């Protein structure tokens, strides 16, 4: 009788069946499932934070609107001094993006 050589190193169904009810593998499957969802939710949260931060700091160059719904041009100042950061004064921090989005007029 000749030995059978198989190119695949995968387990057969019978070899896998003994691991179905193994408590360690059950915990391992649940941990892998939970880790996948946690990573996905963290990635979603980070992407929402980046998008909200870009809107808040006008990185997207979105037009600003006031309460009447009319566009307000963003202020643009060009410094001609040789040291542009020499006359920087402290300003108030920007308000929360949540309040800025909630105060927008609805269409």
């Amino acid at each position: 009788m000749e030995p059978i050589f198989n190119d695949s190193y995968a387990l057969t169904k019978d070899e896998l069946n003994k691991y179905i009810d193994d408590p360690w593998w059950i915990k391992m499957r649940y941990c892998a499932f939970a880790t996948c969802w946690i990573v996905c939710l963290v990635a979603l949260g980070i992407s929402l934070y980046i998008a909200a931060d870009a809107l808040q700091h006008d990185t997207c160059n979105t037009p600003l609107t006031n309460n009447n719904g009319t566009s307000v041009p963003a202020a643009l100042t060009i410094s001609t001094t040789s040291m542009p950061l020499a006359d920087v004064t402290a300003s108030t921090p920007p308000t929360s993006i949540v309040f800025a989005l909630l105060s927008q007029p609805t269409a």
Side-chain angles (χ1 to χ4, degrees), residues 55-101:
L55 284 174
Q56 182 178 9
H57 294 103
D58 199 28
T59 305
C60 300
N61 293 327
T62 56
L64 301 174
T65 58
N66 60 12
N67 290 336
N68 298 336
T70 59
S71 294
V72 178
L76 176 66
T77 57
I78 299 173
S79 175
T80 57
T81 62
S82 60
M83 294 182 1
L85 298 177
D87 59 346
V88 173
T89 58
S91 63
T92 59
T95 59
S96 172
I97 184 67
V98 175
F99 294 121
L101 291 175

Side-chain angles (χ1 to χ4, degrees), residues 9-28:
Y9 293 103
L11 297 176
T12 63
K13 187 175 180 180
D14 293 331
E15 291 172 331
L16 286 173
N17 280 338
K18 64 182 176 182
Y19 296 111
I20 288 176
D21 295 326
D22 187 5
W24 189 86
W25 284 108
I26 292 172
K27 289 178 190 175
M28 183 65 164

Side-chain angles (χ1 to χ4, degrees), residues 23-43:
W24 189 86
W25 284 108
I26 292 172
K27 289 178 190 175
M28 183 65 164
R29 285 192 300 266
Y30 279 124
C31 287
F33 179 77
T35 302
C36 179
W37 275 104
I38 290 170
V39 167
C40 289
L41 291 175
V42 167

